Amino acid sequence: MDITAIQVVPGPANYYSHPGALTRLADFYSEEQLSHAVWLYGERAIHAARPFLPAAFSQNGARHLQYGGHCTDPDLAELAQAAGDDRQVVIGVGGGALLDTAKALARRLSLPFVAIPTIAATCAAWTPLSVWYNAAGQASHYEIFNDANHLVLVEPEILLQAPVEYLLAGIGDTLAKWYEAVVLAPEPKKLPLTVRLGIDTAATLRDVLLGQSEAALADQQKGVLSQDFMDVIDAIIAGGGMVGGLGERYTRIAAAHAVHNGLTILPQTARYLHGTKVAYGILVQCALLSDEAATRQLIAAYQRFNLPTTLAALGVDVNDPAQIDPVIAHTLRPKESIHALPIPVTPESLRAAFLHVESLGQ
C-alpha cells in the first residue's frame, strides 16, 4: 500500500470558538490591514452575523462583496477583479459554498484567509480545500491547498440562532467520518500514525454526536448556549476537518457519500442538505456491510434527532423503479466511492440494502 503521498494538514493556524470570538480579528490584523480587507459573504449570512461583527467590517477602504453561488472558475475570476488591488486579507462569512469560494479567492490573490462560519453544517471553515462546480451547477472536483487557513472565528451565538436543519446536516455529515474511515482504513496499524490519530478522532466524534446531539438540538431550540451545543458545533467544524486533515485519503469518503451523490439526481431531494442525505447514506452502507447492530443503533439515534431513516422521508419511493433505478445507477458509477467497500456492490445488493433500511426505518 502506497503511504508515501499523504498530505497532513491538521487544521488552521488559529481557531477560536467562544462567545465574542470575532473580536479576536484585531489580535491578528491591524487597522491598516483591515482597511485593505476583502469581505465575501452571503446575504442571509451577513444578516445573521452583522450584530456580532467587529467595527473592522465597516473599515474605510475595505471591499465588500456579496455572493450567492458556488465556487466556479468564471465567478472566481469576476470576484478577483472586483476585489481590486492592494488587498491584504480575505474574510469569508457564511456557509460551506461561500467559504469554499472565499478560500479559493484568497489563494488566487495570494492572501491569508479568515473564516467566519454562520452555520454548523460542514467543516468548510476548518479544511484547506474547496469544492469546485461547473457551469451546470454540478460539483466537478475538489482542490486541496498547500497551506492551512490562517484564522477561524466561531461565534456560537450565530450558530445557535441558525435554522436547526443546518445543525442536523452537520451531525449527519460528521458521523460519516467514522463509518467511512473504518472502511477506507481496515488495517490502521499498517498506516502512518497520523492516519490512526485521524481514525481515533473520528471515533471520538461518533461518541460525542451519538451521546450529545439530542441535548444539543434541544438546547438550540430553547436558545441555550450549553456545553452540549458547543461540543457538537466544535465536533462538526473542528473535529470533522481534523479527521480528514490527519488521515487524508484514508479518512475521507466511501459508500455514504456515494449514496448521497446518487440521490442528488432526483429533483425532489434538492431541498435536503448534503449532510442530511449523507446521514441516510450511512444506513445504506451499514446494511451493505451486514452490520445490523450499527444500522439499528443509528436508526434509533436518527429518530431521536429527526434525521431521515427512510427514502420516503427524502421524498423517494423505494418501490418505484422510475425513481430508485436511476439512483442505483448513479451511485454505482465506476468513479464513485462506494467501490471502496471491501465487498463488491451490485445493483441487486444495493437495491436490497435500500429495501432493508426502509423496513427497519419505518
Side-chain angles (χ1 to χ4, degrees):
M1 182 177 293
D2 177 21
I3 60 173
T4 61
I6 295 177
Q7 179 186 5
V8 180
V9 185
N14 307 277
Y15 178 83
Y16 294 97
S17 175
H18 60 80
L22 304 193
T23 62
R24 290 185 176 269
L25 187 63
D27 296 340
F28 293 87
Y29 296 97
S30 67
E31 287 190 16
E32 171 65 18
Q33 289 173 306
L34 292 172
S35 71
H36 293 83
V38 180
W39 291 80
L40 185 68
Y41 47 83
E43 180 180 5
R44 287 185 298 173
I46 202 64
H47 177 75
R50 192 64 187 266
F52 304 93
L53 291 175
F57 178 72
S58 303
Q59 192 92 359
N60 288 334
R63 193 63 51 86
H64 297 83
L65 305 176
Q66 185 169 304
Y67 182 68
H70 286 89
C71 188
T72 68
D73 280 315
D75 287 353
L76 195 66
E78 290 184 12
L79 290 169
Q81 184 175 10
D85 299 325
D86 195 24
R87 300 293 105 188
Q88 297 196 24
V89 59
V90 173
I91 305 171
V93 183
L98 184 286
L99 295 178
D100 278 0
T101 306
K103 282 182 278 188
L105 177 63
R107 271 68 179 197
R108 174 73 63 91
L109 300 176
S110 300
L111 296 175
F113 172 65
V114 178
I116 300 176
T118 56
I119 55 176
T122 70
C123 57
W126 178 282
T127 52
L129 67 82
S130 291
V131 180
W132 288 82
Y133 285 74
N134 58 27
Q138 302 167 326
S140 60
H141 66 284
Y142 65 88
E143 178 181 3
I144 301 176
F145 304 113
N146 292 323
D147 60 322
N149 300 332
H150 181 238
L151 179 61
V152 178
L153 301 173
V154 180
E155 171 51 72
E157 291 285 356
I158 298 175
L159 307 185
L160 191 67
Q161 297 172 19
V164 68
E165 289 78 10
Y166 292 112
L167 186 60
L168 280 168
I171 291 167
D173 198 34
T174 309
L175 274 172
K177 301 294 182 181
W178 162 257
Y179 293 94
E180 294 186 301
V182 293
V183 168
L184 298 171
E187 298 181 276
K189 290 184 178 180
K190 295 183 179 180
L191 298 172
L193 178 61
T194 56
V195 175
R196 283 174 272 155
L197 291 173
I199 294 170
D200 289 346
T201 301
T204 299
L205 298 179
R206 175 202 61 201
D207 294 343
V208 167
L209 294 175
L210 290 178
Q212 296 177 241
S213 290
E214 187 174 10
L217 290 161
D219 290 336
Q220 184 190 25
Q221 187 177 16
K222 293 180 290 187
V224 176
L225 191 60
S226 65
Q227 189 63 53
D228 286 318
F229 182 81
M230 290 292 299
D231 285 353
V232 168
I233 64 172
D234 282 334
I236 295 166
I237 297 172
M242 190 182 300
V243 170
L246 287 168
E248 214 245 5
R249 63 182 178 273
Y250 296 105
T251 53
R252 295 208 187 275
I253 59 175
H257 275 79
V259 170
H260 161 276
N261 296 344
L263 288 170
T264 61
I265 68 167
L266 296 180
Q268 64 265 41
T269 70
R271 63 191 182 98
Y272 298 100
L273 294 168
H274 168 88
T276 306
K277 287 176 281 198
V278 169
Y280 171 78
I282 303 172
L283 301 179
V284 177
Q285 176 176 300
C286 290
L288 283 167
L289 295 174
S290 300
D291 192 342
E292 189 78 359
T295 308
R296 290 180 179 275
Q297 179 193 30
L298 286 172
I299 285 174
Y302 287 10
Q303 289 173 339
R304 296 196 306 271
F305 305 161
N306 200 29
L307 280 168
T309 60
T310 63
L311 278 175
L314 294 169
V316 181
D317 184 352
V318 72
N319 296 306
D320 182 358
Q323 295 184 43
I324 198 65
D325 287 356
V327 172
I328 290 173
H330 198 86
T331 303
L332 292 178
R333 290 181 305 164
K335 68 177 184 178
E336 285 292 348
S337 53
I338 195 169
H339 302 295
L341 294 185
I343 58 170
V345 183
T346 65
E348 292 73 25
S349 65
L350 182 54
R351 189 186 309 274
F354 280 130
L355 290 169
H356 185 60
V357 170
E358 204 75 7
S359 67
L360 293 178
Q362 288 176 349

